[in-house]
Amino acid sequence: MSERARRSGGSRMFIEPRKPVTVEELLRGLVVQSGNDACIALAEAIAGSEGAFVERMNREAARLGLKDTNFANSTGLPAPGHYSTASDLALLAAALIRDHPDYYKLYSEREFRYNEITQQNRNRLLWLDPNVDGMKTGYTESAGYCLIASARRGGRRLLSVVVGTASDRLRAQESQKLLNFGFQSYDGLRLFQKDETIRKLQVWKGAKPELRAGVAADVYVTVPRGSADKLKAELISRQPLFAPLARGQSVATLRLLHDDRLLGEYSVVALDPVPVAGFFARAWNAVRATFR
């Protein structure tokens, strides 16, 4: 480990420059102990320097759609041009939970001992709410006491993001209020299942006259409790569809509205491949298309 990592400010896991440390220990030091020295050590190991790693962070932020975020370091300590929003932090947390479930398990660990020093996870909700299994605390003078919390109840997961509170006690209280409000006041609904046929769409010049269209992943929405009857789905097909069409190819857009307000748009894909038809079938399709 570099001397620069060891001398990092703020919370630390107390790594030693000449003592070997595993990646697993560094990850636990980062997640459980909020170790800034672990952040810098991992960044240097992965990218060669913290600066090079920060470039990767910003590319990943752009890929995830974090439009109001820019990283200037790996630790989150105050720096010029280093900023984010509650909304972007929620997107980042959701991506970690979705894409890296094995690593997300670390966020539920209540303590970690390294270098003969035991430090507890600063997320108080891990002790107060059995449904909470993460996620991350933070503190700076400019941002106050912050907490991204995640809880799972009855197969449903919610995230809350609280920033700017005056104490670690308050950030836990306000996070608990938000999670309780979300579970009590909103319903999470699965509207469409992966590979479920939503509609059959006409295909031109194909070996089959139509294809099954659906979504590539389950579609969930969250709406105020008791208002599911206000949901409406619109399928906008990219007609005309000409063969060949591959399985998974986008063929339409699904628009979901709640009380006439747009909730989101989702790609609808071909659930089956459609090869090009033979010569006579294509000719007949051309005649049909002309009169149509």
Side-chain angles (χ1 to χ4, degrees):
M1 298 301 102
S2 70
E3 187 67 19
R4 183 174 183 274
R6 187 184 73 83
R7 292 183 178 276
S8 61
S11 304
R12 294 161 57 196
M13 69 175 286
F14 300 102
I15 57 176
E16 298 179 18
R18 287 167 295 280
K19 180 180 178 181
V21 58
T22 68
V23 170
E24 182 179 356
E25 288 172 326
L26 287 171
L27 287 172
R28 282 185 160 82
L30 183 155
V31 171
V32 181
Q33 299 177 333
S34 297
N36 292 324
D37 50 356
C39 286
I40 295 174
L42 284 166
E44 291 175 342
I46 292 169
S49 70
E50 186 181 17
F53 185 75
V54 169
E55 292 181 4
R56 296 191 186 191
M57 292 174 69
N58 284 314
R59 287 199 298 270
E60 180 67 5
R63 187 186 72 82
L64 292 173
L66 311 187
K67 298 181 180 179
D68 298 301
T69 293
N70 186 75
F71 297 112
N73 56 51
S74 65
T75 61
L77 292 172
H82 188 92
Y83 57 85
S84 189
T85 64
S87 177
D88 277 4
L89 292 174
L91 289 174
L92 180 60
L96 193 152
I97 294 171
R98 180 186 67 243
D99 299 337
H100 305 284
D102 290 340
Y103 291 110
Y104 178 65
K105 297 174 183 176
L106 299 177
Y107 289 87
S108 63
E109 295 187 7
R110 295 185 178 184
E111 64 178 34
F112 175 57
R113 183 175 179 82
Y114 179 78
N115 204 11
E116 304 302 319
I117 302 171
T118 300
Q119 297 187 66
Q120 289 190 334
N121 195 316
R122 293 170 175 80
N123 183 0
R124 290 186 179 215
L125 294 185
L126 292 176
W127 283 266
L128 299 175
D129 186 341
N131 299 300
V132 171
D133 55 9
M135 185 171 182
K136 196 73 199 77
T137 61
Y139 169 76
T140 63
E141 287 189 9
S142 56
Y145 288 85
C146 311
L147 174 60
I148 304 172
S150 178
R152 189 177 183 89
R153 299 181 192 174
R156 181 176 170 220
R157 179 177 295 282
L158 290 185
L159 279 165
S160 67
V161 181
V162 169
V163 299
T165 64
S167 69
D168 62 341
R169 178 181 59 84
L170 280 174
R171 72 183 172 193
Q173 288 181 355
E174 297 305 313
S175 297
Q176 186 74 80
K177 289 179 186 177
L178 275 176
L179 290 171
N180 289 339
F181 175 75
F183 282 115
Q184 294 166 7
S185 303
Y186 287 83
D187 288 324
L189 308 171
R190 185 175 70 177
L191 297 186
F192 299 99
Q193 193 171 351
K194 176 183 177 180
D195 293 336
E196 170 191 355
T197 301
I198 296 177
R199 186 180 298 175
K200 292 184 177 181
L201 301 177
Q202 188 172 28
V203 179
W204 300 95
K205 300 185 179 180
K208 295 187 292 185
E210 59 185 17
L211 61 78
R212 296 185 306 120
V215 288
D218 292 356
V219 174
Y220 290 87
V221 296
T222 300
V223 296
R225 178 153 291 180
S227 66
D229 58 329
K230 296 182 179 180
L231 282 168
K232 184 169 64 174
E234 299 176 348
L235 189 72
I236 304 172
S237 175
R238 297 176 182 174
Q239 290 290 346
L241 294 173
F242 290 98
L245 293 165
R247 174 178 167 81
Q249 183 174 336
S250 181
V251 294
T253 299
L254 178 69
R255 300 179 79 246
L256 296 180
L257 300 98
H258 180 265
D259 201 16
D260 293 328
R261 181 176 65 88
L262 182 65
L263 286 182
E265 294 184 338
Y266 305 84
S267 178
V268 174
V269 300
L271 300 180
D272 303 301
V274 180
V276 175
F279 173 78
F280 291 107
R282 292 202 308 273
W284 174 242
N285 267 309
V287 173
R288 289 173 57 222
T290 300
F291 285 99
R292 187 179 178 92

